[in-house]
Coordinates of all heavy atoms in Angstrom, one line a residue:
M28 N -1.9 -25.2 -18.7 CA -2.9 -24.6 -17.8 C -2.1 -23.5 -16.9 O -1.2 -23.8 -16.2 CB -3.4 -25.7 -16.8 CG -4.6 -25.3 -16.0 SD -5.2 -26.7 -14.9 CE -6.3 -27.5 -16.0
P29 N -2.5 -22.3 -17.1 CA -1.8 -21.2 -16.4 C -1.9 -21.3 -14.9 O -2.9 -21.7 -14.4 CB -2.5 -19.9 -17.0 CG -3.4 -20.3 -18.0 CD -3.6 -21.8 -18.0
R30 N -0.8 -20.9 -14.3 CA -0.8 -20.8 -12.8 C -1.0 -19.3 -12.5 O -0.5 -18.4 -13.2 CB 0.6 -21.2 -12.3 CG 0.9 -22.7 -12.4 CD 2.3 -23.0 -12.2 NE 3.2 -22.2 -13.1 CZ 4.1 -21.3 -12.7 NH1 4.4 -21.2 -11.4 NH2 4.8 -20.7 -13.6
V31 N -1.7 -19.1 -11.4 CA -1.9 -17.7 -10.9 C -1.5 -17.7 -9.4 O -1.9 -18.6 -8.6 CB -3.4 -17.2 -11.0 CG1 -3.5 -15.8 -10.5 CG2 -3.9 -17.4 -12.4
I32 N -0.7 -16.7 -9.0 CA -0.2 -16.6 -7.7 C -0.9 -15.4 -7.0 O -0.8 -14.3 -7.5 CB 1.3 -16.5 -7.6 CG1 1.9 -17.8 -8.2 CG2 1.8 -16.2 -6.2 CD1 2.8 -17.6 -9.3
F33 N -1.6 -15.7 -5.9 CA -2.3 -14.6 -5.2 C -1.4 -14.4 -3.9 O -1.1 -15.3 -3.2 CB -3.7 -15.1 -4.7 CG -4.6 -15.3 -5.9 CD1 -4.7 -16.5 -6.5 CD2 -5.4 -14.3 -6.4 CE1 -5.5 -16.7 -7.6 CE2 -6.2 -14.4 -7.5 CZ -6.3 -15.7 -8.1
I34 N -1.1 -13.1 -3.7 CA -0.3 -12.7 -2.5 C -1.3 -12.0 -1.5 O -1.8 -11.0 -1.8 CB 0.9 -11.8 -2.8 CG1 1.7 -12.5 -3.9 CG2 1.7 -11.5 -1.5 CD1 2.9 -11.7 -4.3
D35 N -1.4 -12.6 -0.3 CA -2.3 -12.1 0.7 C -1.7 -10.9 1.3 O -0.5 -10.5 1.1 CB -2.3 -13.2 1.8 CG -3.6 -13.2 2.6 OD1 -4.2 -12.1 2.7 OD2 -4.0 -14.2 3.1
T36 N -2.4 -10.2 2.2 CA -1.9 -8.9 2.8 C -0.7 -9.2 3.7 O 0.0 -8.3 4.0 CB -3.0 -8.2 3.6 OG1 -3.6 -9.1 4.5 CG2 -4.1 -7.7 2.6
D37 N -0.6 -10.4 4.3 CA 0.5 -10.7 5.1 C 1.7 -11.4 4.4 O 2.6 -11.9 5.0 CB 0.1 -11.6 6.3 CG -0.4 -13.0 5.9 OD1 -0.3 -13.3 4.7 OD2 -0.8 -13.8 6.7
G38 N 1.6 -11.4 3.0 CA 2.6 -12.0 2.2 C 2.5 -13.4 1.9 O 3.3 -14.0 1.1
T39 N 1.5 -14.1 2.4 CA 1.2 -15.5 2.1 C 0.9 -15.7 0.6 O 0.0 -15.0 0.1 CB 0.1 -16.0 3.0 OG1 0.4 -15.9 4.3 CG2 -0.1 -17.5 2.7
E40 N 1.6 -16.6 0.0 CA 1.3 -16.8 -1.5 C 0.4 -18.1 -1.6 O 0.7 -19.1 -1.0 CB 2.6 -17.0 -2.2 CG 3.4 -15.7 -2.3 CD 4.6 -15.8 -3.2 OE1 4.7 -16.7 -4.0 OE2 5.4 -14.8 -3.1
T41 N -0.6 -18.0 -2.5 CA -1.4 -19.2 -2.8 C -1.3 -19.3 -4.3 O -1.7 -18.4 -5.1 CB -2.8 -19.0 -2.4 OG1 -2.9 -18.7 -1.0 CG2 -3.7 -20.2 -2.7
E42 N -0.8 -20.5 -4.8 CA -0.7 -20.7 -6.2 C -1.8 -21.7 -6.7 O -2.0 -22.7 -6.0 CB 0.7 -21.3 -6.6 CG 0.8 -21.6 -8.0 CD 2.2 -22.1 -8.4 OE1 3.2 -21.5 -7.9 OE2 2.3 -23.1 -9.1
V43 N -2.5 -21.3 -7.7 CA -3.6 -22.1 -8.2 C -3.4 -22.3 -9.7 O -2.6 -21.5 -10.4 CB -5.0 -21.5 -8.0 CG1 -5.2 -21.2 -6.5 CG2 -5.2 -20.2 -8.8
Q44 N -4.1 -23.3 -10.3 CA -4.1 -23.4 -11.7 C -5.5 -23.3 -12.2 O -6.4 -23.7 -11.5 CB -3.5 -24.8 -12.1 CG -2.0 -24.9 -11.9 CD -1.5 -26.2 -12.5 OE1 -2.0 -27.3 -12.3 NE2 -0.5 -26.1 -13.3
A45 N -5.6 -22.8 -13.5 CA -7.0 -22.7 -14.0 C -6.9 -22.9 -15.5 O -5.9 -22.6 -16.1 CB -7.6 -21.3 -13.7
D46 N -8.0 -23.3 -16.1 CA -8.1 -23.5 -17.6 C -7.9 -22.1 -18.3 O -8.4 -21.1 -17.8 CB -9.4 -24.1 -18.0 CG -9.5 -25.5 -17.5 OD1 -8.4 -26.2 -17.4 OD2 -10.6 -26.0 -17.2
V47 N -7.3 -22.1 -19.5 CA -7.3 -21.0 -20.3 C -8.8 -20.6 -20.6 O -9.7 -21.4 -20.8 CB -6.6 -21.3 -21.7 CG1 -6.9 -20.3 -22.7 CG2 -5.1 -21.5 -21.4
G48 N -9.1 -19.3 -20.5 CA -10.4 -18.8 -20.7 C -11.1 -18.5 -19.4 O -12.1 -17.7 -19.4
K49 N -10.7 -19.1 -18.3 CA -11.3 -18.7 -17.0 C -10.8 -17.4 -16.6 O -9.7 -16.9 -17.1 CB -10.8 -19.7 -16.0 CG -11.4 -21.1 -16.2 CD -12.6 -21.3 -15.3 CE -13.1 -22.8 -15.4 NZ -14.3 -23.0 -14.6
S50 N -11.5 -16.7 -15.8 CA -11.0 -15.4 -15.3 C -10.1 -15.6 -14.0 O -10.2 -16.7 -13.4 CB -12.2 -14.5 -15.0 OG -12.9 -14.9 -13.8
V51 N -9.4 -14.6 -13.7 CA -8.6 -14.6 -12.5 C -9.6 -14.8 -11.3 O -9.3 -15.5 -10.3 CB -7.8 -13.3 -12.3 CG1 -7.1 -13.2 -11.0 CG2 -6.7 -13.3 -13.4
M52 N -10.7 -14.1 -11.3 CA -11.7 -14.3 -10.2 C -12.1 -15.7 -10.1 O -12.2 -16.3 -9.0 CB -12.9 -13.4 -10.5 CG -14.1 -13.5 -9.5 SD -15.2 -14.9 -9.9 CE -16.2 -14.2 -11.2
E53 N -12.5 -16.4 -11.2 CA -12.9 -17.8 -11.2 C -11.8 -18.7 -10.7 O -12.1 -19.6 -9.9 CB -13.3 -18.2 -12.6 CG -14.6 -17.6 -13.1 CD -14.9 -17.8 -14.5 OE1 -14.0 -17.8 -15.4 OE2 -16.1 -18.1 -14.8
A54 N -10.6 -18.4 -11.0 CA -9.4 -19.2 -10.5 C -9.4 -19.1 -9.0 O -9.1 -20.1 -8.3 CB -8.1 -18.7 -11.2
A55 N -9.6 -17.9 -8.5 CA -9.6 -17.7 -7.0 C -10.8 -18.4 -6.3 O -10.6 -19.1 -5.4 CB -9.6 -16.2 -6.7
V56 N -12.0 -18.1 -6.8 CA -13.2 -18.7 -6.2 C -13.1 -20.2 -6.2 O -13.5 -20.9 -5.2 CB -14.4 -18.1 -6.9 CG1 -15.7 -18.9 -6.4 CG2 -14.6 -16.6 -6.6
E57 N -12.8 -20.8 -7.3 CA -12.8 -22.3 -7.5 C -11.7 -22.9 -6.6 O -11.8 -24.1 -6.3 CB -12.6 -22.7 -8.9 CG -13.8 -22.3 -9.8 CD -13.6 -22.5 -11.3 OE1 -12.5 -23.0 -11.7 OE2 -14.5 -22.2 -12.0
N58 N -10.8 -22.1 -6.1 CA -9.7 -22.7 -5.3 C -9.7 -22.1 -3.9 O -8.8 -22.2 -3.1 CB -8.3 -22.4 -5.9 CG -8.1 -23.3 -7.2 OD1 -7.8 -24.5 -7.1 ND2 -8.4 -22.7 -8.3
N59 N -10.9 -21.5 -3.5 CA -11.1 -20.9 -2.2 C -10.0 -20.0 -1.7 O -9.6 -20.0 -0.5 CB -11.2 -22.1 -1.1 CG -12.4 -23.0 -1.5 OD1 -13.5 -22.5 -1.7 ND2 -12.1 -24.3 -1.5
V60 N -9.6 -19.1 -2.6 CA -8.6 -18.1 -2.3 C -9.3 -17.0 -1.5 O -10.3 -16.5 -2.0 CB -7.9 -17.5 -3.5 CG1 -7.0 -16.3 -3.1 CG2 -7.2 -18.6 -4.3
P61 N -8.9 -16.7 -0.2 CA -9.6 -15.7 0.6 C -9.5 -14.3 0.0 O -8.5 -14.0 -0.7 CB -9.0 -15.8 1.9 CG -7.6 -16.4 1.7 CD -7.8 -17.3 0.5
G62 N -10.5 -13.5 0.2 CA -10.4 -12.1 -0.2 C -11.0 -11.8 -1.5 O -11.1 -10.6 -2.0
I63 N -11.5 -12.8 -2.2 CA -12.2 -12.6 -3.5 C -13.6 -13.1 -3.3 O -13.9 -14.3 -3.5 CB -11.5 -13.4 -4.7 CG1 -10.1 -12.9 -4.8 CG2 -12.3 -13.2 -6.0 CD1 -9.9 -11.6 -5.5
D64 N -14.6 -12.2 -3.0 CA -16.0 -12.6 -2.8 C -16.7 -12.8 -4.1 O -17.6 -13.7 -4.2 CB -16.7 -11.6 -1.9 CG -16.1 -11.7 -0.5 OD1 -15.4 -12.7 -0.1 OD2 -16.3 -10.7 0.3
A65 N -16.5 -12.0 -5.1 CA -17.1 -12.1 -6.4 C -18.7 -12.1 -6.2 O -19.3 -12.9 -6.8 CB -16.6 -13.3 -7.1
D66 N -19.2 -11.1 -5.5 CA -20.6 -11.1 -5.2 C -21.5 -11.0 -6.5 O -22.6 -11.5 -6.4 CB -20.9 -9.8 -4.4 CG -20.4 -10.0 -3.0 OD1 -20.1 -11.1 -2.5 OD2 -20.2 -8.9 -2.3
C67 N -21.0 -10.4 -7.5 CA -21.9 -10.3 -8.7 C -21.7 -11.5 -9.7 O -22.3 -11.5 -10.8 CB -21.7 -9.0 -9.4 SG -20.2 -8.8 -10.4
G68 N -20.8 -12.4 -9.4 CA -20.6 -13.5 -10.2 C -19.8 -13.3 -11.5 O -19.9 -14.0 -12.4
G69 N -19.2 -12.1 -11.6 CA -18.3 -11.8 -12.7 C -19.0 -10.9 -13.7 O -18.6 -10.8 -14.9
M70 N -20.0 -10.2 -13.3 CA -20.8 -9.3 -14.2 C -20.2 -7.8 -14.1 O -20.8 -6.9 -14.6 CB -22.3 -9.2 -13.8 CG -22.9 -10.6 -13.8 SD -22.9 -11.3 -15.5 CE -24.0 -10.3 -16.4
C71 N -19.1 -7.7 -13.5 CA -18.4 -6.3 -13.5 C -19.3 -5.3 -12.8 O -19.5 -4.2 -13.2 CB -18.0 -5.9 -14.9 SG -16.8 -4.5 -14.9
A72 N -19.9 -5.8 -11.7 CA -20.9 -4.9 -11.0 C -20.7 -4.8 -9.5 O -21.6 -4.3 -8.8 CB -22.3 -5.4 -11.3
C73 N -19.6 -5.3 -9.0 CA -19.5 -5.3 -7.5 C -18.1 -4.9 -7.0 O -18.0 -4.3 -5.9 CB -19.8 -6.7 -6.9 SG -18.6 -7.9 -7.2
A74 N -17.1 -5.1 -7.7 CA -15.7 -4.8 -7.4 C -15.2 -5.6 -6.2 O -14.2 -5.2 -5.6 CB -15.5 -3.3 -7.1
T75 N -15.9 -6.7 -5.8 CA -15.3 -7.5 -4.7 C -14.3 -8.6 -5.2 O -14.0 -9.5 -4.5 CB -16.5 -8.2 -4.0 OG1 -17.2 -9.1 -4.8 CG2 -17.4 -7.2 -3.3
C76 N -13.9 -8.4 -6.5 CA -12.9 -9.2 -7.0 C -11.6 -8.4 -7.3 O -10.8 -8.7 -8.1 CB -13.3 -9.9 -8.3 SG -13.7 -8.8 -9.6
H77 N -11.6 -7.2 -6.7 CA -10.5 -6.3 -6.8 C -9.1 -6.9 -6.5 O -9.0 -7.5 -5.5 CB -10.8 -5.1 -5.9 CG -9.7 -4.1 -5.8 ND1 -9.6 -3.2 -4.7 CD2 -8.7 -3.7 -6.6 CE1 -8.6 -2.4 -4.9 NE2 -8.1 -2.6 -6.0
I78 N -8.2 -6.7 -7.4 CA -6.8 -7.2 -7.2 C -5.9 -6.1 -7.7 O -6.2 -5.2 -8.4 CB -6.5 -8.5 -8.0 CG1 -6.9 -8.3 -9.5 CG2 -7.3 -9.7 -7.4 CD1 -6.5 -9.4 -10.4
I79 N -4.6 -6.3 -7.3 CA -3.6 -5.4 -7.7 C -2.5 -6.3 -8.4 O -1.9 -7.2 -7.8 CB -2.9 -4.6 -6.6 CG1 -4.0 -3.7 -5.9 CG2 -1.8 -3.7 -7.1 CD1 -3.6 -3.2 -4.6
V80 N -2.3 -6.0 -9.7 CA -1.4 -6.9 -10.5 C 0.0 -6.4 -10.3 O 0.3 -5.2 -10.3 CB -1.8 -6.7 -12.0 CG1 -0.9 -7.6 -12.9 CG2 -3.3 -7.1 -12.3
E81 N 0.9 -7.4 -10.1 CA 2.3 -7.1 -9.9 C 2.8 -6.4 -11.2 O 2.4 -6.7 -12.3 CB 3.1 -8.4 -9.6 CG 2.9 -8.9 -8.2 CD 3.5 -8.1 -7.1 OE1 3.0 -7.1 -6.6 OE2 4.7 -8.5 -6.8
E82 N 3.7 -5.5 -10.9 CA 4.2 -4.6 -12.0 C 4.6 -5.3 -13.3 O 4.2 -4.9 -14.4 CB 5.3 -3.7 -11.5 CG 5.7 -2.6 -12.4 CD 6.5 -1.5 -11.7 OE1 6.9 -1.7 -10.6 OE2 6.8 -0.5 -12.4
A83 N 5.4 -6.4 -13.1 CA 5.9 -7.1 -14.3 C 4.8 -7.7 -15.1 O 5.0 -8.0 -16.3 CB 6.9 -8.2 -13.8
W84 N 3.7 -8.0 -14.5 CA 2.6 -8.7 -15.2 C 1.5 -7.7 -15.7 O 0.7 -8.1 -16.5 CB 2.0 -9.7 -14.2 CG 2.8 -10.9 -14.0 CD1 3.6 -11.1 -12.9 CD2 3.0 -12.0 -14.9 NE1 4.3 -12.3 -13.1 CE2 3.9 -12.9 -14.3 CE3 2.4 -12.3 -16.1 CZ2 4.3 -14.1 -14.9 CZ3 2.8 -13.5 -16.7 CH2 3.7 -14.4 -16.1
F85 N 1.6 -6.5 -15.2 CA 0.5 -5.6 -15.6 C 0.2 -5.5 -17.1 O -0.9 -5.5 -17.6 CB 0.7 -4.2 -14.9 CG -0.5 -3.3 -15.0 CD1 -1.7 -3.6 -14.4 CD2 -0.5 -2.2 -15.8 CE1 -2.8 -2.8 -14.5 CE2 -1.6 -1.4 -15.9 CZ -2.7 -1.7 -15.3
P86 N 1.3 -5.3 -17.9 CA 1.1 -5.2 -19.3 C 0.5 -6.4 -20.0 O -0.3 -6.3 -21.0 CB 2.5 -5.0 -19.9 CG 3.3 -4.5 -18.7 CD 2.7 -5.2 -17.5
V87 N 0.7 -7.6 -19.4 CA 0.2 -8.8 -20.0 C -1.3 -8.9 -19.8 O -2.0 -9.6 -20.6 CB 0.9 -10.0 -19.3 CG1 0.4 -11.4 -19.9 CG2 2.4 -9.9 -19.4
T88 N -1.9 -8.2 -18.8 CA -3.3 -8.4 -18.5 C -4.2 -7.5 -19.4 O -5.4 -7.6 -19.4 CB -3.6 -8.0 -17.1 OG1 -3.2 -6.7 -16.8 CG2 -2.9 -9.0 -16.1
G89 N -3.6 -6.6 -20.2 CA -4.3 -5.8 -21.2 C -5.0 -4.6 -20.5 O -4.9 -4.5 -19.3
P90 N -5.7 -3.8 -21.2 CA -6.3 -2.6 -20.7 C -7.6 -2.9 -19.9 O -8.2 -3.9 -20.2 CB -6.6 -1.8 -21.9 CG -6.8 -2.8 -23.0 CD -5.9 -3.9 -22.7
R91 N -7.9 -2.0 -19.0 CA -9.2 -2.1 -18.3 C -10.3 -1.8 -19.3 O -10.2 -1.0 -20.2 CB -9.3 -1.0 -17.2 CG -8.3 -1.2 -16.1 CD -8.4 0.0 -15.2 NE -7.5 -0.1 -14.1 CZ -7.1 1.0 -13.4 NH1 -7.5 2.2 -13.6 NH2 -6.2 0.8 -12.4
T92 N -11.5 -2.4 -19.1 CA -12.6 -2.1 -19.9 C -13.3 -0.8 -19.3 O -13.0 -0.4 -18.2 CB -13.7 -3.2 -19.9 OG1 -14.2 -3.3 -18.5 CG2 -13.1 -4.5 -20.3
D93 N -14.2 -0.2 -20.1 CA -14.8 1.0 -19.6 C -15.6 0.7 -18.3 O -15.6 1.5 -17.4 CB -15.7 1.6 -20.7 CG -14.9 2.2 -21.8 OD1 -13.7 2.5 -21.7 OD2 -15.5 2.4 -22.9
N94 N -16.4 -0.4 -18.3 CA -17.2 -0.7 -17.1 C -16.3 -1.0 -15.9 O -16.6 -0.6 -14.8 CB -18.0 -2.0 -17.4 CG -19.2 -1.7 -18.2 OD1 -19.6 -0.5 -18.5 ND2 -19.9 -2.8 -18.7
E95 N -15.2 -1.7 -16.2 CA -14.2 -2.0 -15.1 C -13.7 -0.7 -14.5 O -13.6 -0.5 -13.3 CB -13.1 -2.8 -15.7 CG -12.1 -3.2 -14.7 CD -11.0 -4.1 -15.3 OE1 -10.9 -4.2 -16.6 OE2 -10.1 -4.6 -14.6
E96 N -13.3 0.3 -15.4 CA -12.8 1.6 -15.0 C -13.9 2.3 -14.1 O -13.5 2.8 -13.0 CB -12.5 2.4 -16.2 CG -11.7 3.6 -16.0 CD -10.2 3.3 -15.9 OE1 -9.6 2.7 -16.8 OE2 -9.6 3.7 -14.9
A97 N -15.1 2.2 -14.5 CA -16.2 2.8 -13.7 C -16.3 2.2 -12.4 O -16.5 2.9 -11.3 CB -17.5 2.8 -14.5
M98 N -16.3 0.9 -12.3 CA -16.4 0.2 -11.0 C -15.2 0.5 -10.1 O -15.4 0.7 -8.9 CB -16.6 -1.3 -11.2 CG -17.9 -1.8 -11.8 SD -19.3 -1.2 -10.8 CE -18.9 -1.9 -9.2
L99 N -14.1 0.5 -10.6 CA -12.9 0.7 -9.8 C -12.9 2.2 -9.3 O -12.3 2.5 -8.3 CB -11.6 0.5 -10.7 CG -11.3 -1.0 -10.9 CD1 -10.2 -1.1 -12.0 CD2 -10.8 -1.7 -9.7
G100 N -13.6 3.1 -10.0 CA -13.6 4.4 -9.6 C -14.3 4.6 -8.3 O -14.2 5.7 -7.6
F101 N -15.1 3.6 -7.8 CA -15.8 3.7 -6.5 C -14.9 3.4 -5.4 O -15.2 3.6 -4.2 CB -17.0 2.8 -6.5 CG -18.1 3.2 -7.4 CD1 -18.4 2.6 -8.6 CD2 -18.9 4.4 -7.0 CE1 -19.5 3.0 -9.4 CE2 -20.0 4.8 -7.8 CZ -20.2 4.1 -9.0
L102 N -13.7 2.8 -5.7 CA -12.8 2.4 -4.6 C -11.9 3.5 -4.1 O -11.4 4.3 -5.0 CB -12.0 1.2 -5.1 CG -12.7 -0.1 -5.5 CD1 -11.8 -1.1 -6.1 CD2 -13.5 -0.7 -4.3
P103 N -11.7 3.6 -2.8 CA -10.8 4.6 -2.3 C -9.3 4.3 -2.6 O -9.0 3.1 -2.7 CB -11.1 4.7 -0.8 CG -11.6 3.3 -0.5 CD -12.2 2.8 -1.8
D104 N -8.5 5.3 -2.7 CA -7.0 5.1 -2.9 C -6.7 4.0 -3.9 O -6.0 3.1 -3.7 CB -6.4 4.6 -1.5 CG -6.7 5.7 -0.5 OD1 -6.7 6.9 -0.8 OD2 -6.8 5.3 0.7
L105 N -7.2 4.3 -5.1 CA -7.0 3.3 -6.2 C -5.6 3.2 -6.6 O -5.0 4.2 -7.0 CB -7.9 3.6 -7.4 CG -8.1 2.6 -8.4 CD1 -8.7 1.3 -7.8 CD2 -8.9 3.1 -9.6
N106 N -5.1 2.0 -6.6 CA -3.7 1.7 -7.1 C -3.7 1.7 -8.7 O -4.7 1.3 -9.3 CB -3.2 0.3 -6.6 CG -1.8 0.0 -7.0 OD1 -1.5 -0.2 -8.1 ND2 -1.0 0.1 -6.0
E107 N -2.7 2.2 -9.3 CA -2.6 2.4 -10.7 C -2.6 1.0 -11.4 O -2.9 0.9 -12.6 CB -1.4 3.2 -11.2 CG -0.1 2.5 -10.8 CD 1.1 3.4 -11.1 OE1 0.9 4.6 -11.5 OE2 2.2 2.9 -11.0
R108 N -2.3 -0.1 -10.7 CA -2.3 -1.4 -11.3 C -3.5 -2.2 -10.8 O -3.6 -3.5 -10.8 CB -1.0 -2.2 -11.0 CG 0.1 -1.6 -11.8 CD 1.4 -2.3 -11.5 NE 2.1 -1.7 -10.4 CZ 2.2 -2.3 -9.2 NH1 1.8 -3.5 -9.0 NH2 2.8 -1.7 -8.2
A109 N -4.5 -1.5 -10.3 CA -5.8 -2.2 -9.8 C -6.5 -2.7 -11.0 O -6.6 -2.1 -12.0 CB -6.6 -1.2 -9.0
R110 N -7.1 -3.9 -10.8 CA -8.0 -4.5 -11.8 C -9.1 -5.3 -11.1 O -9.0 -5.5 -9.9 CB -7.2 -5.6 -12.7 CG -6.1 -5.0 -13.5 CD -6.6 -4.1 -14.7 NE -7.7 -4.7 -15.5 CZ -7.5 -5.5 -16.6 NH1 -6.3 -5.7 -17.0 NH2 -8.5 -6.0 -17.2
L111 N -10.1 -5.6 -11.9 CA -11.1 -6.5 -11.4 C -10.8 -7.9 -11.9 O -10.6 -8.1 -13.2 CB -12.5 -6.1 -11.9 CG -13.0 -4.7 -11.3 CD1 -14.4 -4.4 -11.9 CD2 -13.0 -4.7 -9.8
G112 N -10.7 -8.9 -11.0 CA -10.3 -10.2 -11.4 C -11.2 -10.9 -12.4 O -10.8 -11.7 -13.2
C113 N -12.4 -10.5 -12.4 CA -13.4 -11.1 -13.3 C -13.2 -10.6 -14.8 O -13.8 -11.2 -15.7 CB -14.8 -10.9 -12.9 SG -15.4 -9.2 -12.9
Q114 N -12.4 -9.5 -14.9 CA -12.3 -9.0 -16.3 C -10.9 -9.4 -16.9 O -10.6 -8.9 -18.0 CB -12.4 -7.5 -16.2 CG -13.7 -7.0 -15.7 CD -14.9 -7.5 -16.5 OE1 -15.0 -7.2 -17.7 NE2 -15.8 -8.3 -15.9
I115 N -10.2 -10.2 -16.2 CA -8.9 -10.7 -16.8 C -9.1 -12.2 -17.1 O -9.3 -13.0 -16.3 CB -7.7 -10.6 -15.8 CG1 -7.6 -9.1 -15.5 CG2 -6.5 -11.1 -16.4 CD1 -6.5 -8.9 -14.4
K116 N -9.1 -12.5 -18.4 CA -9.3 -13.9 -18.9 C -7.9 -14.5 -19.1 O -7.1 -13.9 -19.8 CB -10.1 -14.0 -20.2 CG -11.5 -13.3 -20.1 CD -12.4 -14.1 -19.2 CE -13.8 -13.5 -19.2 NZ -14.6 -13.8 -18.0
L117 N -7.7 -15.7 -18.5 CA -6.4 -16.3 -18.5 C -6.0 -16.8 -19.9 O -6.9 -17.4 -20.6 CB -6.3 -17.4 -17.5 CG -6.4 -16.9 -16.1 CD1 -6.6 -18.1 -15.1 CD2 -5.1 -16.2 -15.7
N118 N -4.8 -16.7 -20.3 CA -4.3 -17.3 -21.5 C -2.9 -17.9 -21.1 O -2.4 -17.7 -20.0 CB -4.2 -16.4 -22.7 CG -3.3 -15.2 -22.4 OD1 -2.2 -15.3 -21.8 ND2 -3.7 -14.0 -22.8
E119 N -2.3 -18.6 -22.1 CA -1.0 -19.3 -21.8 C 0.1 -18.3 -21.4 O 1.0 -18.6 -20.7 CB -0.6 -20.2 -22.9 CG -1.5 -21.4 -23.1 CD -1.4 -22.4 -22.0 OE1 -0.6 -22.3 -21.1 OE2 -2.2 -23.4 -22.1
E120 N 0.0 -17.1 -22.0 CA 1.0 -16.1 -21.7 C 1.0 -15.7 -20.2 O 2.0 -15.1 -19.7 CB 0.8 -14.8 -22.5 CG 1.3 -14.9 -23.9 CD 0.9 -13.5 -24.6 OE1 1.4 -12.5 -24.2 OE2 0.2 -13.6 -25.6
M121 N -0.1 -15.9 -19.6 CA -0.2 -15.5 -18.2 C 0.2 -16.5 -17.2 O -0.1 -16.4 -16.0 CB -1.7 -15.1 -17.9 CG -2.1 -13.9 -18.7 SD -3.8 -13.4 -18.3 CE -4.2 -12.2 -19.6
D122 N 0.9 -17.6 -17.6 CA 1.4 -18.6 -16.7 C 2.3 -18.0 -15.7 O 3.4 -17.5 -16.1 CB 2.0 -19.7 -17.5 CG 2.5 -20.8 -16.6 OD1 1.8 -21.1 -15.6 OD2 3.5 -21.4 -16.8
G123 N 2.0 -18.0 -14.4 CA 2.8 -17.3 -13.4 C 2.3 -15.9 -13.0 O 2.9 -15.3 -12.2
L124 N 1.1 -15.6 -13.6 CA 0.6 -14.2 -13.2 C 0.5 -14.1 -11.7 O 0.0 -15.0 -11.0 CB -0.9 -14.1 -13.8 CG -1.7 -12.9 -13.5 CD1 -1.0 -11.7 -14.1 CD2 -3.1 -13.0 -14.0
T125 N 1.0 -12.9 -11.2 CA 1.0 -12.7 -9.8 C 0.3 -11.4 -9.5 O 0.5 -10.4 -10.1 CB 2.5 -12.6 -9.4 OG1 3.2 -13.7 -9.8 CG2 2.6 -12.5 -7.8
V126 N -0.6 -11.6 -8.5 CA -1.5 -10.5 -8.1 C -1.6 -10.4 -6.6 O -1.4 -11.4 -5.9 CB -2.9 -10.6 -8.7 CG1 -2.9 -10.7 -10.2 CG2 -3.7 -11.8 -8.1
R127 N -1.8 -9.2 -6.1 CA -1.9 -9.0 -4.7 C -3.4 -8.7 -4.3 O -4.2 -8.2 -5.1 CB -1.1 -7.8 -4.2 CG 0.4 -8.1 -4.3 CD 1.2 -7.0 -3.7 NE 2.6 -7.4 -3.8 CZ 3.3 -8.0 -2.8 NH1 2.6 -8.3 -1.7 NH2 4.5 -8.4 -3.0
L128 N -3.8 -9.1 -3.1 CA -5.1 -9.0 -2.6 C -5.2 -7.7 -1.8 O -4.4 -7.6 -0.9 CB -5.6 -10.2 -1.9 CG -5.6 -11.5 -2.7 CD1 -5.6 -12.7 -1.8 CD2 -6.8 -11.5 -3.7
P129 N -6.1 -6.8 -2.1 CA -6.1 -5.5 -1.3 C -6.5 -5.7 0.1 O -7.3 -6.6 0.4 CB -7.1 -4.6 -2.1 CG -7.5 -5.4 -3.3 CD -7.0 -6.8 -3.1
I130 N -6.0 -4.9 1.0 CA -6.2 -5.0 2.4 C -7.7 -4.8 2.8 O -8.3 -5.5 3.7 CB -5.4 -4.0 3.2 CG1 -5.3 -4.5 4.7 CG2 -5.9 -2.6 3.1 CD1 -4.2 -3.9 5.4
G131 N -8.4 -4.1 2.0 CA -9.8 -3.8 2.3 C -10.8 -5.0 2.1 O -11.9 -4.9 2.4
Q132 N -10.3 -6.0 1.5 CA -11.2 -7.2 1.2 C -11.1 -8.3 2.2 O -11.6 -9.4 2.0 CB -10.8 -7.7 -0.2 CG -11.5 -6.8 -1.3 CD -11.1 -7.1 -2.7 OE1 -11.1 -6.2 -3.5 NE2 -10.7 -8.3 -3.0
F133 N -10.5 -8.0 3.4 CA -10.3 -9.1 4.4 C -11.1 -8.7 5.6 O -11.4 -7.5 5.9 CB -8.9 -9.4 4.7 CG -8.2 -10.1 3.6 CD1 -7.6 -9.4 2.6 CD2 -8.2 -11.5 3.6 CE1 -6.9 -10.0 1.6 CE2 -7.6 -12.1 2.5 CZ -7.0 -11.4 1.5
Ligands
FES222 S1 -17.1 -10.4 -9.6 FE1 -18.2 -8.6 -9.3 S2 -17.0 -7.1 -10.4 FE2 -15.8 -8.9 -10.6

């Protein structure tokens, strides 16, 4: 069961576990990780699951989808490693995946 580490804006780390096939967003919501509202429920239509993937992990998460790219385009000052948590499905290779929560979501 992959672990995901969320780093808050003040550096606080929250480690959760989630089943393979769940999204990073679902891992956060099911474990009450603050800063991930997921207003659209994972339909790639709200961007309230915005995360920034740590550099070492970014290649493991795969490319952004076209819809994801479009949604992220609405955000100001977009980080090059920005993703939508609902669009990253966990697999065993992602055990230890580490992501940061953007300051705008608190
Ligand atoms: S939950 Fe809405 S875009 Fe991810």
Side-chain angles (χ1 to χ4, degrees):
M28 192 181 272
R30 294 167 300 123
V31 184
I32 296 122
F33 295 89
I34 305 176
D35 206 334
T36 52
D37 67 3
T39 303
E40 294 188 10
T41 304
E42 182 176 310
V43 306
Q44 286 190 310
D46 292 329
V47 167
K49 292 263 186 181
S50 70
V51 172
M52 175 277 281
E53 289 170 319
V56 169
E57 291 173 4
N58 290 281
N59 300 312
V60 174
I63 301 286
D64 291 343
D66 290 339
C67 76
M70 301 301 291
C71 198
C73 72
T75 61
C76 63
H77 173 205
I78 55 172
I79 298 165
V80 180
E81 287 286 88
E82 193 166 2
W84 287 100
F85 190 68
V87 180
T88 60
R91 295 173 182 159
T92 66
D93 290 344
N94 282 350
E95 181 181 10
E96 193 81 52
M98 287 307 302
L99 287 168
F101 289 108
L102 299 174
D104 300 326
L105 190 64
N106 186 289
E107 63 186 7
R108 287 178 278 109
R110 295 292 310 267
L111 295 179
C113 67
Q114 300 302 300
I115 301 173
K116 302 294 184 200
L117 293 168
N118 60 41
E119 291 293 355
E120 280 180 58
M121 294 182 189
D122 183 34
L124 176 66
T125 305
V126 303
R127 290 186 179 269
L128 299 163
I130 197 161
Q132 281 170 208
F133 288 90

